[in-house]
Amino acid sequence: MFITFEGIEGTGKTTQIKLIKAFLEGAGHTVDVTLEPGGSRIGKELRKILLNMDSTDLTGESELFLYLADRAQHVSQTIRPAIEAGKVIISDRFADSTIVYQGYGRGLDPKLLRELNDVAVSGCWPDLTILLDIDPEMGLKRAMTRNLQENKMQEEGRFEAESLEFHNRVREGYLTWAALNHERFFVVDAAQTPDEIFEQIKAKTVEVLKNR
Ligand code: TMP
C-alpha cells in the first residue's frame, strides 16, 4: 500500500506521518517512511539544489525536470521495492506536489505535468493521498518558526521565502486538484488539533486498507 501526504508548508505533515506509522505498525504492518525531494541517494543531492536559497538562477523548467528526476529515482530505488516487499510506504510529498507547485503555483500546464509525472512514476500512483489543508498565513508562520528553530532557513527555505500570493495559489491548486482526483484524495482541515486530524486520517486509512 502506498500513501502520500500533501499540503503547503507548516500543515503538520511530519507529525501526522509519525502518528499513522506508529498506528499501522501497532496493527502489524511493516511501514517505511520516505520523502520528496530526497527519497533516494541521488535524490538527496537533488534536494540540496532544489531547496537551497542560493538556487536563485534555477529556471522553472530546470526545477521541473529535477523534481521529475528525483521522483523517477525515488520510485525505482525506494517506493516500488517497498510495495513489492508487501510494506506500507508513506511519502511526505509526491507527484501531486509537482502538479500543484510547478503547475498551479508557477503557471506550467497541470495536464502536461500529469503526463510527465506518468513517465516519472511509471504506474506507481498512490492508493491514498492525504491533503492537509490550511490557511497559508498560518502554515507559513509555523514553517518559518520551525526553519529558524532548526537553523534551516538557508538550506531549506527557498519555498518558504515565496510570496503569500504564491502560497495562496498553491493552496487553491491543491483543493482543485484534489476535487479532480477525489477517488484517491482525502482532504483534512489542518487547523484542527493534531489529535482531531489524526482520528480522521486513521479512519480513512483503515477504510482504504479494508477495501484493497
Ligand atoms: P518540504 O521539505 O517543506 O516538503 O519542502 C519541499 C519543497 O519543495 C516544498 O516547498 C514544495 C516543493 N516541491 C515542489 O515545488 N515540487 C515538487 O514536486 C516537490 C516534491 C516539492
Side-chain angles (χ1 to χ4, degrees):
M1 162 125 165
F2 179 26
I3 305 173
T4 58
F5 276 74
E6 295 283 352
I8 61 163
E9 281 64 23
T11 50
K13 290 194 292 299
T14 314
T15 305
Q16 294 301 324
I17 288 173
K18 272 191 203 141
L19 290 171
I20 197 69
K21 177 181 196 285
F23 168 75
L24 289 169
E25 284 175 342
H29 296 278
T30 306
V31 182
D32 282 354
V33 171
T34 183
L35 85 172
E36 284 198 1
S40 65
R41 186 184 67 79
I42 288 179
K44 287 191 179 69
E45 296 302 313
L46 297 175
R47 181 177 177 98
K48 289 184 199 155
I49 302 172
L50 282 162
L51 301 189
N52 198 293
M53 292 274 259
D54 289 339
S55 298
T56 47
D57 52 344
L58 190 63
T59 71
E61 288 76 11
S62 305
E63 180 189 57
L64 166 66
F65 285 109
L66 291 182
Y67 276 119
L68 292 168
D70 172 66
R71 183 156 309 126
Q73 199 71 16
H74 191 202
V75 167
S76 101
Q77 304 292 299
T78 309
I79 295 172
R80 199 185 299 284
I83 294 171
E84 284 173 0
K87 296 178 182 174
V88 174
I89 177 122
I90 303 176
S91 187
D92 182 344
R93 299 193 179 282
F94 191 62
D96 301 305
S97 280
T98 298
I99 292 165
V100 172
Y101 280 81
Q102 280 63 54
Y104 294 100
R106 298 237 193 269
L108 299 175
D109 174 14
K111 198 168 151 275
L112 171 66
L113 297 180
R114 159 80 210 205
E115 285 164 13
L116 292 171
N117 261 324
D118 274 333
V119 179
V121 312
S122 63
C124 226
W125 283 95
D127 301 294
L128 171 64
T129 298
I130 292 157
L131 171 58
L132 296 177
D133 175 56
I134 203 165
D135 171 24
E137 240 172 291
M138 196 190 268
L140 280 179
K141 216 178 272 171
R142 286 195 205 165
M144 296 268 197
T145 311
R146 180 198 58 209
N147 279 350
L148 287 172
Q149 276 168 354
E150 296 175 7
N151 203 14
K152 280 190 170 164
M153 203 60 202
Q154 171 67 25
E155 235 177 277
E156 300 255 326
R158 195 166 69 89
F159 279 85
E160 283 83 343
E162 288 278 353
S163 66
L164 188 59
E165 203 184 309
F166 174 80
H167 290 282
N168 279 325
R169 281 203 303 279
V170 169
R171 190 228 193 155
E172 289 306 317
Y174 263 128
L175 292 173
T176 304
W177 186 245
L180 288 170
N181 294 275
H182 54 88
E183 67 296 337
R184 165 168 71 84
F185 266 89
F186 181 61
V187 183
V188 184
D189 174 4
Q192 302 174 91
T193 67
D195 282 350
E196 287 168 337
I197 297 170
F198 177 59
E199 283 309 312
Q200 291 157 51
I201 292 176
K202 186 169 78 178
K204 182 67 186 180
T205 306
V206 168
E207 178 198 315
V208 173
L209 267 170
K210 219 185 281 167
N211 292 333
R212 289 185 80 234

